[in-house]
Amino acid sequence: MPDALTFPPPPSHPELVLITGISGSGKSVALRALEDAGFYCVDNLPPELLGAFVALETEPGSPPRRVAIAMDVRAAHSLCHLGPGLAALRSRGTPVQVIFLDARTEALVRRYAETRRRHPLSRPADPAAEDADTAHRALVDAIELERELLAELRESATVIDTSLLAASQLRARLRQLVDAPPGALSLAFESFAFKAGVPLDADLVFDLRVLPNPHYEAGLRALTGRDAPVADWLQAQPEVLEMHERIADFLRRWLPDYARDQRASLTVAIGCTGGQHRSVHAAEQLAARFRAARAAGDPACAHLGAVLLRHRELDRR
């Protein structure tokens, strides 16, 4: 196995969080949440000005502060400057965290219908070249074009799927992410219900629907995987224990390689039918196990930063 990675200590540069993603996915909510958390926030900064802006922040005498910048396809003509700009900042030691907000197309369409706002790509780049009847792109076409333009940026970012998130849930996830140590791999365990769809931000997906289901036990049906009676019942099932062990073994084997790939985060989505019992219990158990392994100095967790825990369906209640 290749030698373990080493991460340098955080440099004395301003911490920079870049908020980007699909229009309608919650960037305004995210930016307000970071502002409430003490960040200096800038919306819609042209990508070609990123280096100059950070240079102002690092001038002698400037107080160090946490900075959040929102960029998206409103600056579509200059997005080509963003990748080189981020690379240049990182090469100079500026810690940059890119958070990409995404949502399913049907959720975006519904939000646009509710707000009656126009998608920034609904007009062609040169509307004068079109006649009056064809000067606008259909909303779904504009969303798909936006996905294409931002695909490369999404690949190198921490992705949050906001399709089923309330604003309070999005704010909570952002607080978790920005408090994670820079330069380390954040590991997130997320329970979900398959009947509501697999999370878009999942890197790994495990299906627990094959396990015994507490839903069919009358005394457990109304409880969740966080409750002791459900946890005790599941822990008494050999298949449940084996599933947890297999998932943990898989992650321990591959976590160093994910860290070596320079990932900022790894989201492990664990699903069952209703997202209430089996997946919740597994996420709780695995998060506790990896927090303990990190604290105990497990070599597989040497480059592990925050271990996050979330329950998509329960947290919506």
Side-chain angles (χ1 to χ4, degrees):
M1 185 178 295
D3 293 338
L5 290 178
T6 56
F7 292 101
S12 56
H13 288 269
E15 179 185 349
L16 176 61
V17 174
L18 174 64
I19 300 293
T20 186
I22 305 301
S23 301
S25 61
K27 292 190 296 296
S28 296
V29 172
L31 209 60
R32 288 195 296 269
L34 292 179
E35 189 171 34
D36 292 342
F39 281 75
Y40 177 74
C41 296
V42 180
D43 188 20
N44 201 23
L45 181 75
E48 59 267 38
L49 297 182
L50 179 61
F53 175 82
V54 174
L56 287 174
E57 289 292 308
T58 55
E59 283 188 343
S62 299
R65 56 183 175 180
R66 307 176 87 186
V67 178
I69 299 174
M71 292 184 187
D72 51 43
V73 292
R74 288 174 293 177
H77 64 284
S78 55
L79 278 176
C80 58
H81 298 284
L82 184 52
L86 291 173
L89 289 177
R90 286 170 172 146
S91 70
R92 294 198 295 268
T94 301
V96 183
Q97 185 175 20
V98 182
I99 299 176
F100 190 103
L101 305 185
D102 202 351
R104 300 181 188 281
T105 298
E106 57 268 27
L108 297 171
V109 170
R110 183 178 66 252
R111 293 171 188 175
Y112 273 102
E114 291 169 352
T115 62
R116 299 185 180 182
R117 298 197 67 187
R118 178 179 293 168
H119 192 282
L121 295 180
S122 61
R123 287 185 179 274
D126 183 14
E130 305 283 346
D131 61 51
D133 293 328
T134 60
H136 294 83
R137 289 190 182 93
L139 176 57
V140 172
D141 293 339
I143 292 171
E144 292 309 311
L145 175 60
E146 184 175 25
R147 292 194 192 282
E148 293 176 16
L149 292 173
L150 297 177
E152 185 175 349
L153 183 59
R154 188 185 193 278
E155 287 297 315
S156 60
T158 298
V159 181
I160 301 179
D161 176 10
T162 70
S163 304
L164 299 175
L165 294 187
S168 59
Q169 288 178 278
L170 175 56
R171 289 192 291 267
R173 291 200 182 183
L174 283 166
R175 285 194 297 270
Q176 287 184 320
L177 285 173
V178 299
D179 286 338
L185 176 71
S186 295
L187 177 62
F189 292 97
E190 178 175 2
S191 68
F192 72 95
F194 271 98
K195 66 182 183 181
V198 177
L200 285 175
D201 50 5
D203 296 299
L204 300 170
V205 179
F206 293 95
D207 184 355
L208 271 56
R209 289 175 293 184
V210 69
L211 298 179
N213 191 352
H215 175 80
Y216 297 109
E217 300 293 322
L220 304 179
R221 182 173 302 175
L223 302 178
T224 77
R226 287 172 165 168
D227 296 314
V230 173
D232 292 342
W233 187 89
L234 286 168
Q235 289 292 106
Q237 313 300 320
E239 307 98 308
V240 171
L241 298 180
E242 182 179 358
M243 178 70 81
H244 293 182
E245 287 295 332
R246 294 296 179 89
I247 294 174
D249 288 345
F250 178 89
L251 292 175
R252 289 190 72 260
R253 165 61 184 86
W254 292 106
L255 273 176
D257 294 86
Y258 281 114
R260 192 171 294 108
D261 195 40
Q262 301 296 314
R263 283 174 173 261
S265 65
L266 182 73
T267 297
V268 181
I270 303 173
C272 62
T273 305
Q276 178 173 324
H277 297 111
R278 294 165 291 181
S279 62
V280 170
H281 175 65
E284 294 273 343
Q285 292 293 310
L286 289 164
R289 178 180 298 210
F290 278 89
R291 285 169 180 163
R294 180 192 58 192
D298 186 334
C301 302
H303 306 301
L304 197 57
V307 178
L308 310 177
L309 175 64
R310 50 194 186 234
H311 304 295
R312 189 182 72 180
E313 318 315 335
L314 294 190
D315 292 346
R316 295 173 62 199
R317 297 179 180 179

